[in-house]
Structures are given as C-alpha cells and as structure tokens.
Amino acid sequence: MSVVLADCSDSELSALAIGGRQAAYTALLERYREPVFRVVRATIGDSDAAVDVTQETFVSAFAALKTYDSERPFKTWIARIAINKCRDWARKRAVRRLFSFAMPMELAETIADDTVGVDQQVFDRAELVRVQAAIARLPQAIREPLILRTIEGMTQADAAQVLGISEKAVETRLYRARAKLNELLRD
C-alpha cells in the first residue's frame, strides 16, 4: 500500500523522513519552503541572502529532525530554526563588516595609540574599589536586586524569581539601591 505524502500530517512526514523516506523530506520542504523564506527575508531584508539562509535552515532542520516533538507544530519548530539562522547570519555579517574596515599591517605605525594611560588605569581601579565598597555597604535587601540586575544583567523577572519577590519589588528595591549608592558615593 502506498502512502500519499501530500495527505500526511507533519508528524507523519517527519517520522517517514527519519525512517529513511527521501520523498518525505521533499514533501516537508515543499510544504514549508515559502513560509520559511518569507520569515527569513522579512528578518534579514535581503532576498538573495534569504535564499541561502532558507537552505541552511532546512539543512539544519533535517539534520535535527529526530529532536522534533511531533506534539508541537512543525511550522513553529522550523520557524525557530530559521530565526536562529538569521541571527547567525547577522553575526557573521557584523564580523565581515568589522574586518572590511581593518587596515593593512603596513599602516599600523601611523595609527595613534588609544590605550588608556597608566594614571587613568590607577584612577579607574581606585574608583572601582570605591564603588564595590559602597555596594557592599548597602543593606542586603536592596543590594541583591542591584547586583542581579546591574552586574549580572538579569531581567527584572529573572531577578524576581531568584529572590522570590515580585517584579515590582525588584523595581522598587533597585530604585532605592541606586539612590542610596549615589548618596554613599557623594560622601
């Protein structure tokens, strides 16, 4: 008995593809090529590059097909892969752009030295010690949200979860910590 691939669900197609049916890969590709291309093109804004990123998306998706949870929509799963590929493309593009501005080594002699002077480094180190001491003097209740948000870079929601308090409480304590820190640093 022959299976009509066009009538199969995404989970059935993925199972057939994992089982070695090449035609199932083709059916998934035909079903999602245009939606993935639209997502990629809208994200990166370059139609030519979107073709390549779309191809990379399908190569990665098919390589990871065993990780696809058939209980979830295939469209969402492959869209997440497409978005990640767009982010990779943007990072690579930024690196290429950076290197395009690089100067030849022969010109290195004529470039000014913009490193920070020793006196500035000493001042910066002393200022850092002063700020760390002021942070250490803050009450724990307001010091912890300050450290989690400002130094660790956590979101307000993550900091709230770590501390076991509401997001509003994190916001309030962060405000108080900054005000107290400014007061301590002024003295």
Side-chain angles (χ1 to χ4, degrees):
M1 180 173 151
S2 178
V3 176
V4 179
L5 295 178
D7 297 337
C8 291
S9 69
D10 294 340
S11 59
E12 291 169 334
L13 286 175
S14 65
L16 289 170
I18 291 169
R21 267 308 279 269
Q22 288 298 89
Y25 285 110
T26 304
L28 284 169
L29 178 66
E30 289 172 359
R31 191 174 287 177
Y32 290 102
R33 178 180 32 219
E34 288 303 313
V36 167
F37 177 77
R38 285 192 304 269
V39 166
V40 171
R41 185 182 57 207
T43 303
I44 65 176
D46 181 345
S47 294
D48 293 333
V51 172
D52 294 337
V53 174
T54 299
Q55 183 177 354
E56 290 175 24
T57 299
F58 279 99
V59 168
S60 293
F62 290 160
L65 198 55
K66 290 180 181 177
T67 66
Y68 166 62
D69 179 3
S70 60
E71 299 296 316
R72 305 187 96 144
F74 188 85
K75 184 175 186 173
T76 305
W77 182 74
I78 200 159
R80 171 57 44 206
I81 294 171
I83 294 294
N84 287 336
K85 289 297 172 186
C86 290
R87 289 175 181 163
D88 292 346
W89 177 85
R91 278 190 293 272
K92 289 176 191 172
R93 183 175 174 205
V95 169
R96 283 191 299 269
R97 186 180 308 125
L98 176 70
F99 282 118
S100 71
F101 293 119
M103 293 186 171
M105 286 301 293
E106 298 81 39
L107 298 177
E109 296 173 356
T110 61
I111 298 174
D113 182 13
D114 61 351
T115 58
V116 178
V118 174
D119 55 336
Q120 185 64 43
Q121 288 179 8
V122 169
F123 175 77
D124 289 347
R125 230 177 266 127
E127 187 65 15
L128 178 61
V129 168
R130 191 169 85 86
V131 170
Q132 287 174 333
I135 290 173
R137 290 176 39 205
L138 293 173
Q140 180 181 355
I142 62 174
R143 182 178 61 232
E144 289 175 344
L146 179 72
I147 290 170
L148 292 176
R149 288 280 290 130
T150 308
I151 297 172
E152 293 299 318
M154 287 187 178
T155 64
Q156 199 158 306
D158 290 342
Q161 187 175 10
V162 168
L163 297 172
I165 58 177
S166 70
E167 289 183 46
K168 186 64 179 171
V170 169
E171 182 180 340
T172 302
R173 291 178 185 186
L174 190 57
Y175 175 80
R176 289 178 182 157
R178 288 178 177 153
K180 182 70 174 170
L181 189 58
N182 281 334
E183 179 185 315
L184 290 171
L185 291 173
R186 254 187 272 123
D187 294 337

